[in-house]
Amino acid sequence: MKIMTCPVNGPRAISEFAYGGEIRSMPDPATCSDDEWADYVFNRNGSPGVKREWWCHLPSNTWFVAERDTARDVVLRTYLYEGEG
Amino acid sequence: MPWRLLRFALSKKHPEPRMFTRHDRLKPAYDVVIIGGGGHGLAAAYYLAREHGITNVCVLEKGYIGGGNTGRNTTIIRSNYLTPEGVQFYDESVRLWQDLAQDFDLNLFYSNRGHYTLAHTDAALRTSRWRAEVNKHFGIDSEVVGPEVVKKAAPMIDLSCGGHAPILGALYHAPGAVARHDAVAWGYGRGADMRGVEIHQRTEVLGIGVVGGKVAGVRTNRGNIATNKVLCAVAGATPRILDMVGIRSPIYIHPLQAMVSEPVKPWLDPILVSGSLHVYISQSARGELVMGASLDPYEVQSTRSTFDFPESLSAHMLDMFPFLSNVKVMRQWAGMADMTPDFAPIMGRTPVEGFYLDGGWGTWGFKATPVCGKTMAYTVANDREHTLITGFGLDRFRNFALTGEKGAASVGH
Ligand SMILES: Cc1cc2nc3c(=O)[nH]c(=O)nc-3n(C[C@H](O)[C@H](O)[C@H](O)COP(=O)(O)OP(=O)(O)OC[C@H]3O[C@@H](n4cnc5c(N)ncnc54)[C@H](O)[C@@H]3O)c2cc1C
């Protein structure tokens, strides 16, 4: 992967982007247990696969979602975040 | 040419025992199954056999031994870390390295060079002082030196780094060394093999049987094995193996790349690391410059390499050593680094009884090969953590009690 397509600015060199990690939902810190919170803070899905990730186009500060196959390093789709589900 | 080589030309059969015994099939059961034939797995097998008399052991390697990160690393050995747990652990490793070649009767090309972590900012200098004090407290040779000492050790260096990152000083660690990575895997492998351990290459673990919270067996592409103890030492494949036993962990995988130049005359004795410029360099016995940088910025689960890597690494290298502008890059490659949030490994028992983990070795685990083998062998044999690894347990995350090594491990692996 050398080119990433920003949903607003189109295809750009990968060096213009920052990776923000896999999209995960945060448990409610007021009600979840310490174990759930520690799991959220530290644990990751480290195995290869197609993942939904946060990426940011730095010059325009556009955060968006990329679906990427982390085994092949191929981006399948990029789009602006529209909430969960 | 030594005369004994003639025997190889004249004899029809290979006149000496092969480096490793070949086993045509797996046994139905072993006392211990080690997943991963890198330095760590083979070292653990060696110490299990040598120090604990446990020899009904197999090492399963999906490719060839040493073909993972062991054979891809830039072989820097040092112990000038930041936390008391880390410093004592790596110090024991440096001690173990000293007589390893004797032990194996194999030349490991262990070469003591001295290691400089260059500081270009006040903040970096402060971390250097901090590390030096922790190190000295544990009796490790480590001190902060001025730029003139760096210049003396590496006369070709541009101390101003092209004018934009002047070197203010360095953390100097006299025991810093490099060694031949392949030979380390072979030496441990042969030592284990001679003592009865079976090494099975091209044997991939596909599943792990867990019954009632205990390890019961291992499924491979060459059949099933019954066992009550499994040691996982697979570096970049750790999350995949943890999925097989249902253990969650903070380990994430990013590639780490490296490259070597064409061989040139010896001109660089010490190992140099610059956190600010994101580079490190040493010169191998063959004259190649071995160079690396920090992690790739995003997750990838393969060993692909990229063009931006030699491009940006070379630019920074020229800041330090402008005279290298005509030297050619010969090879580049990548390994999959199993990273942890605090840059310390994850070692010891796990919530699954009989499943032992030696992972989270990221970009810094080659130097620890001997001590990992030794302490994991102890842990597997006694079902109790060796005292040197109690700071590295998986439960430290649940307890919010991290072992923060980032200041000592992020670029200078
Ligand atoms: C470019 C680079 C530079 C580095 N530089 C340094 C350095 O200067 N100093 C330092 O101390 N460390 C360094 N490291 C880190 C170091 O290389 C590793 O931490 C260390 O080699 C890990 O050794 P290992 O034996 O645990 O893993 P590996 O050598 O990766 O061995 C694991 C083995 O497990 C096998 N495996 C995986 N899955 C399975 C399966 N399902 N079944 C069977 N087998 C399996 C793999 O094929 C592999 O051979 C560097 C790493 C890289 C990538």
Side-chain angles (χ1 to χ4, degrees):
Chain A
M1 181 181 61
K2 291 179 181 155
I3 304 286
M4 173 69 100
T5 303
C6 170
V8 174
N9 300 284
R12 299 283 167 150
I14 192 67
S15 55
E16 289 187 17
F17 295 84
Y19 166 70
E22 194 171 7
I23 297 182
R24 306 174 306 129
S25 50
M26 185 175 85
D28 179 354
T31 57
C32 74
S33 68
D34 286 354
D35 279 359
E36 282 167 325
W37 186 247
D39 180 67
Y40 169 71
V41 172
F42 295 114
N43 289 340
R44 295 291 179 271
N45 162 22
S47 290
V50 175
K51 299 187 181 180
R52 285 177 72 224
E53 301 169 330
W54 285 115
W55 282 80
C56 180
H57 180 242
L58 295 168
S60 64
N61 197 20
T62 310
W63 280 98
F64 62 93
V65 180
E67 286 178 11
R68 192 169 64 94
D69 182 339
T70 65
R72 293 186 300 136
D73 196 17
V74 172
V75 181
L76 306 173
R77 215 153 73 89
T78 56
Y79 47 91
L80 292 174
Y81 185 70
E82 283 165 359
E84 283 303 310
Chain B
M1 187 187 73
W3 289 110
R4 54 193 281 267
L5 286 185
L6 268 180
R7 291 191 298 137
F8 289 83
L10 299 175
S11 159
K12 281 215 171 66
K13 274 181 28 204
H14 192 77
E16 274 183 10
R18 310 290 308 199
M19 190 98 180
F20 303 103
T21 320
R22 247 195 71 176
H23 305 279
D24 287 332
R25 57 171 60 89
L26 292 162
K27 286 199 280 189
Y30 294 91
D31 294 340
V32 181
V33 171
I34 297 175
I35 313 175
H40 287 216
L42 294 165
Y46 172 85
Y47 291 110
L48 269 175
R50 205 189 82 171
E51 299 196 342
H52 304 279
I54 301 176
T55 56
N56 185 21
V57 175
C58 69
V59 179
L60 307 181
E61 166 53 54
K62 76 172 172 195
Y64 57 94
I65 67 170
N69 288 355
T70 298
R72 296 165 189 272
N73 91 96
T74 45
T75 79
I76 296 170
I77 297 166
R78 63 189 177 90
S79 62
N80 57 348
Y81 277 74
L82 188 57
T83 64
E85 295 85 353
V87 170
Q88 293 173 78
F89 180 78
Y90 292 108
D91 184 39
E92 175 63 15
S93 209
V94 169
R95 238 194 308 274
L96 288 170
W97 277 104
Q98 304 309 317
D99 57 2
L100 218 49
Q102 287 282 350
D103 229 31
F104 295 164
D105 191 19
L106 186 69
N107 191 350
L108 299 184
F109 291 81
Y110 189 90
S111 173
N112 188 182
R113 303 290 188 84
H115 181 282
Y116 291 84
T117 310
L118 305 176
H120 308 255
T121 61
D122 287 340
L125 210 49
R126 194 180 59 225
T127 310
S128 298
R129 289 214 178 85
W130 177 6
R131 279 168 67 182
E133 291 311 315
V134 175
N135 295 165
K136 281 189 256 182
H137 180 71
F138 290 103
I140 283 152
D141 200 346
S142 179
E143 60 179 320
V144 175
V145 297
E148 66 293 345
V149 178
V150 176
K151 185 76 183 172
K152 209 162 157 224
M156 311 300 266
I157 201 164
D158 172 3
L159 280 180
S160 79
C161 292
H164 54 81
I167 294 168
L168 307 179
L171 178 66
Y172 173 56
H173 179 48
V178 287
R180 182 160 180 221
H181 40 25
D182 299 321
V184 174
W186 300 335
Y188 274 121
R190 184 171 67 178
D193 177 272
M194 275 165 27
R195 291 170 174 82
V197 170
E198 293 184 4
I199 299 170
H200 292 271
Q201 304 188 67
R202 293 210 230 148
T203 307
E204 182 172 7
V205 171
L206 304 172
I208 299 171
V210 179
V211 179
K214 293 184 191 169
V215 167
V218 168
R219 184 162 57 85
T220 79
N221 60 340
R222 293 173 56 215
N224 295 343
I225 306 170
T227 186
N228 293 318
K229 292 190 174 189
V230 167
L231 169 61
C232 171
V234 296
T238 306
R240 295 180 229 189
I241 301 288
L242 292 182
D243 281 354
M244 295 176 189
V245 288
I247 293 176
R248 288 184 46 80
S249 86
I251 294 174
Y252 59 98
I253 311 295
H254 283 217
L256 179 67
Q257 305 193 50
M259 67 187 194
V260 293
S261 74
E262 60 185 326
V264 290
K265 280 185 184 169
W267 62 274
L268 182 68
D269 188 39
I271 304 157
L272 301 180
V273 180
S274 162
S276 301
L277 297 178
H278 295 273
V279 298
Y280 63 91
I281 180 170
S282 68
Q283 189 170 22
S284 77
R286 281 191 299 227
E288 298 163 336
L289 301 174
V290 180
M291 298 171 278
S294 38
L295 274 184
D296 279 14
Y298 54 92
E299 175 183 345
V300 175
Q301 308 255 0
S302 76
T303 51
R304 65 99 178 92
S305 38
T306 62
F307 181 65
D308 12 331
F309 172 75
E311 204 177 27
S312 73
L313 175 52
S314 304
H316 286 136
M317 204 54 80
L318 293 181
D319 286 342
M320 267 162 73
F321 297 111
F323 83 102
L324 290 180
S325 59
N326 288 322
V327 172
K328 293 179 182 60
V329 172
M330 204 162 64
R331 286 193 304 281
Q332 68 171 113
W333 66 91
M336 289 185 284
D338 41 332
M339 302 300 295
T340 62
D342 56 3
F343 285 65
I346 302 180
M347 299 177 78
R349 288 176 296 173
T350 65
V352 175
E353 205 180 313
F355 183 82
Y356 304 89
L357 180 59
D358 172 33
W361 276 109
T363 65
W364 53 86
F366 174 70
K367 67 181 71 59
T369 305
V371 73
C372 284
K374 203 174 164 112
T375 55
M376 286 313 297
Y378 177 96
T379 304
V380 171
N382 297 295
D383 195 37
R384 185 176 67 236
E385 277 78 15
H386 189 283
T387 46
L388 278 175
I389 65 169
T390 49
F392 304 137
L394 177 61
D395 55 4
R396 72 177 184 271
F397 300 100
R398 219 184 103 205
N399 301 330
F400 294 90
L402 307 199
T403 304
E405 281 291 5
K406 187 166 184 179
S410 63
V411 179
H413 314 304

